[in-house]
Amino acid sequence: MTELQLTHLTYAGSNVVSAQIVFGPELTVIYGTSDTGKSFIVKSIEYMLGGADLTMVPEAAGYSQILLGLLMPDGTPLTLLRAPESNSIYLYKADLRDLVVRTPDATVTAVHNARSRNSLSINLMRTLGLDEILIRKNEAGGTRPLALSDLVHLSLVTENRMVGEVPPVLRSGTAATRTAELSVMRFLLTGEGDPAVDTGPNAGQRRVHKGQIQLLDQLVIDLSSKLTTQENDRKLRDRLIRIRGALDEQSAPLRRVNNSHREAVDARMNTARELATLDERLTEVSDLLGRFRLLEAQYRSDLERLAMVNEAGSILGYFKVGTCVFCGAHREHQQPGHGVEETTQLHAAVEAEAAKTSALLGDLLPTIADLDGEQNQLANRRVEAQSNIGEWDQMIAELEGGIADLRSDVEALMEERSIVERQLDLLERIAELDDKRSRLVGEGAVTSTRPTHHIATRTLSDFDSILQQTLNAWQVPAVDHAEYDQYYAEIRAGGRKRAERGKGMRSVLHSAFTTALARFCMDRDLHHLGFVVLDSPVVTYRDPEPDEIPDHEDFELTSTVVDRFYKDMLSFPGQAIVIENGDPPVKVLSEATTYHFTGTGGGRAGFFPTSVH
């Protein structure tokens, strides 16, 4: 019913080559090296469709015009022209793809609010037949016209929103806009807007409002007194980005030094344990050597005594076999009972004892030699270990000094970050209070009856079915029973909220929700912009190591999920633009409109000609 089609995004200027992406009518995939302008394309589309701000990249210098080509539902072309840092948008009822010098057919403003009379939102919503649709803007039942931005954020998803914890239905996550965002979701699923309701306050309600406004004013004054800077929200956020970048730069060397310190301490502990083991073994070896040397001395003493006995026996003739030294009789004349062995027993005993003692000494000497060698090796290793411990101690002391310096710098940055974050929090709270005050001033009292925003169970069930079918088609693990919780504006899958998942699963669930919503509306001829723009929809997130698993562990998205995602997007009923780092499957390269940004080298370097972002 309201489908638009994006035809091209062009940056043009004098004396520069135009930077251009032509979008296919079905699937367009822009992939390749990081920092080549892929996400900048998404932010540029958002900017051209009424976005409030676009941070220009250095490569955009010299480009004075941004052109976004549209194909309207009736097939006629429309080109939007907007300059960087400008709120004026020029409309051309033609397909223009280069520097424009002609007079526009109409001029509108990108800013849309309750007082807008000629904004891009009003112009396009009138063309799409949605200018009379009202949505509820607060719990009091007050309504406002449906705006283009209400639909864009449900069709175009930037990388930050893709992985962010804010539910896909909500644009900012603040309470001030929640009612309107839920009402938009109800309109898309049912095709029904909200009726206008008179919410004018009576006298009593005005008195209550006055008191509430005074209280809010006092709260704003109290919070403002706590501000310690004159910087606005944008400057503080830029400063916070710089601080986080500096922290990242400082944290990396600190982690490296910490790792080196831990390794040095571990090495010293291991060396100290080795030294203790060496000392214990040296004590054992020294004790054994002392005992064995005493035993060696005893053996040698025994051998000397036996040699003396042997020598004395030989001199006295006690050990000779023949003439008896006691009676003088020759052996043949000796009586049978004379006892020949009496003269040789002493000799035999001495020889036997000497042989035994020599054998024991022979066994003992190699053992002593081995222990001597081991003692020398242990002593040398002990000296080496003591030297190593000294070196480790010196290294640890040096590393601890480096850690102290780096930690001091990191702590200073962390303290500065905390201060900036506190200031941002104060500004956010002040803005919320100002918003509440504005609503009290402009919206009147709360009525006794409120218009319903409930989505019928049957309708919600039909959408949940499309969402589950999408996840099943992508073969995403552990996401059974996927559903949209209309009361909490949250996506649930696998029994868990999307916000409780890791960033990889959050991005997949956000992508599935966005595409499922588009399919649901297109299949039923309900209102939808007709296109989806997804920045990094299938972020691969690796499981942590077992000892590092966080409380909310994520699932690893395999290449099967990526392949299935692209296969499903080839059959998407509207126009799809996908931004990714990884290469798409070969089938996608052959069937879809694709752009490969190489960063450097051959092919197209990036979005801007001959430039690397």
Side-chain angles (χ1 to χ4, degrees), residues 226-457:
K226 297 178 182 179
L227 289 171
T228 59
T229 179
Q230 299 299 318
E231 296 174 290
N232 59 26
D233 179 90
R234 181 172 180 178
K235 290 183 178 179
L236 281 173
R237 293 192 183 280
D238 290 342
R239 183 177 164 196
L240 183 60
I241 291 173
R242 292 193 298 271
I243 292 172
R244 287 173 175 170
L247 265 176
D248 290 339
E249 294 177 359
Q250 292 287 345
S251 297
L254 179 59
R255 284 194 296 270
R256 287 196 296 269
V257 175
N258 272 325
N259 290 336
S260 298
H261 180 268
R262 184 175 62 253
E263 291 171 359
V265 170
D266 291 342
R268 191 200 183 282
M269 291 177 61
N270 291 334
T271 306
R273 284 194 289 268
E274 181 186 3
L275 183 61
T277 303
L278 289 171
D279 286 338
E280 182 180 356
R281 182 56 183 164
L282 272 172
T283 301
E284 293 176 357
V285 170
S286 297
D287 183 60
L288 288 173
L289 278 174
R291 296 184 182 185
F292 287 170
R293 286 198 172 101
L294 286 175
L295 186 58
E296 178 191 5
Q298 183 63 48
Y299 285 161
R300 293 188 184 281
S301 176
D302 290 346
L303 287 172
E304 289 175 359
R305 285 194 298 271
L306 289 170
M308 290 174 61
V309 171
N310 194 35
E311 184 178 355
S314 297
I315 294 173
L316 295 175
Y318 290 160
F319 302 149
K320 293 180 179 178
V321 179
T323 303
C324 180
V325 296
F326 299 105
C327 64
H330 292 287
R331 182 174 183 182
E332 62 270 17
H333 300 298
Q334 293 174 6
Q335 299 298 323
H338 192 275
V340 177
E341 294 182 0
E342 291 180 0
T343 63
T344 60
Q345 280 180 348
L346 180 59
H347 176 69
V350 169
E351 291 296 329
E353 188 63 25
K356 176 182 176 184
T357 303
S358 295
L360 292 173
L361 180 60
D363 292 338
L364 181 62
L365 289 177
T367 303
I368 292 176
D370 291 342
L371 289 174
D372 273 332
E374 183 180 358
Q375 187 179 44
N376 290 333
Q377 292 178 356
L378 291 172
N380 292 335
R381 180 59 191 135
R382 187 178 187 279
V383 172
E384 182 182 350
Q386 287 179 322
S387 175
N388 289 341
I389 285 179
E391 293 176 358
W392 288 125
D393 286 339
Q394 182 179 357
M395 181 182 294
I396 289 170
E398 293 174 354
L399 289 172
E400 286 176 347
I403 289 173
D405 294 338
L406 290 171
R407 186 171 292 163
S408 176
D409 294 339
V410 170
E411 288 175 352
L413 287 171
M414 292 178 67
E415 176 62 25
E416 185 179 359
R417 182 185 66 181
S418 298
I419 292 173
V420 173
E421 287 176 343
R422 286 195 295 270
Q423 296 299 301
L424 283 170
D425 182 61
L426 286 172
L427 288 175
E428 183 178 350
R429 291 165 63 187
I430 290 172
E432 290 178 359
L433 293 175
D434 284 339
D435 182 72
K436 291 180 181 178
R437 186 186 190 281
S438 297
R439 285 189 284 119
L440 285 173
V441 171
E443 295 172 4
V446 177
T447 59
S448 58
T449 59
R450 299 176 179 175
T452 179
H453 64 280
H454 177 74
I455 302 174
T457 303

Side-chain angles (χ1 to χ4, degrees), residues 102-228:
R102 55 178 276 190
T103 303
D105 296 311
T107 301
V108 297
T109 178
V111 179
H112 177 77
N113 53 45
R115 296 180 297 276
S116 296
R117 292 294 180 268
N118 189 32
S119 67
L120 175 68
S121 176
I122 290 176
N123 191 286
L124 285 183
M125 298 304 275
R126 184 185 303 118
T127 303
L128 298 174
L130 298 174
D131 54 318
E132 295 184 359
I133 299 297
L134 299 177
I135 60 168
R136 191 161 58 105
K137 63 180 181 178
N138 54 50
E139 291 296 329
T143 57
R144 65 165 174 81
L146 181 69
L148 179 63
S149 58
D150 295 324
L151 303 179
V152 169
H153 99 277
L154 292 172
S155 296
L156 183 148
V157 187
T158 62
E159 184 177 12
N160 288 338
R161 287 188 57 238
M162 186 71 75
V163 300
E165 296 183 4
V166 176
V169 172
L170 306 181
R171 182 166 36 180
S172 62
T174 61
T177 59
R178 182 184 180 88
T179 300
E181 290 157 352
L182 291 176
S183 182
V184 172
M185 182 65 179
R186 175 182 175 275
F187 164 70
L188 289 176
L189 292 184
T190 64
E192 300 174 0
D194 287 284
V197 177
D198 182 12
T199 58
N202 56 37
Q205 290 169 333
R206 284 194 296 271
R207 287 194 298 271
V208 172
H209 278 200
K210 183 178 180 180
Q212 291 175 333
I213 290 170
Q214 291 174 345
L215 175 61
L216 290 173
D217 287 340
Q218 185 60 49
L219 290 174
V220 169
I221 292 173
D222 293 342
L223 291 176
S224 298
S225 67
K226 297 178 182 179
L227 289 171
T228 59

Side-chain angles (χ1 to χ4, degrees), residues 493-545:
R496 294 167 58 185
K497 296 179 181 178
R498 173 182 169 275
E500 297 173 350
R501 299 280 190 166
K503 64 179 182 180
M505 193 62 73
R506 289 201 299 270
S507 66
V508 170
L509 291 175
H510 199 142
S511 303
F513 169 82
T514 302
T515 56
L517 179 60
R519 288 180 187 272
F520 181 90
C521 295
M522 295 176 193
D523 291 346
R524 289 159 179 76
D525 202 25
L526 295 171
H527 297 285
H528 191 276
L529 289 181
F531 63 83
V532 295
V533 181
L534 307 175
D535 190 351
S536 304
V538 281
V539 177
T540 300
Y541 189 74
R542 183 176 297 279
D543 280 329
E545 297 298 327

Side-chain angles (χ1 to χ4, degrees), residues 455-493:
I455 302 174
T457 303
R458 176 177 296 180
T459 301
L460 207 56
S461 177
D462 290 344
F463 172 72
D464 292 344
S465 177
I466 299 294
L467 177 61
Q468 185 66 63
Q469 290 172 17
T470 302
L471 293 169
N472 291 342
W474 299 357
Q475 295 188 1
V476 180
V479 289
D480 53 321
H481 306 299
E483 62 179 358
Y484 166 62
D485 187 334
Q486 64 174 321
Y487 300 105
Y488 293 95
E490 182 58 285
I491 301 300
R492 297 178 183 272

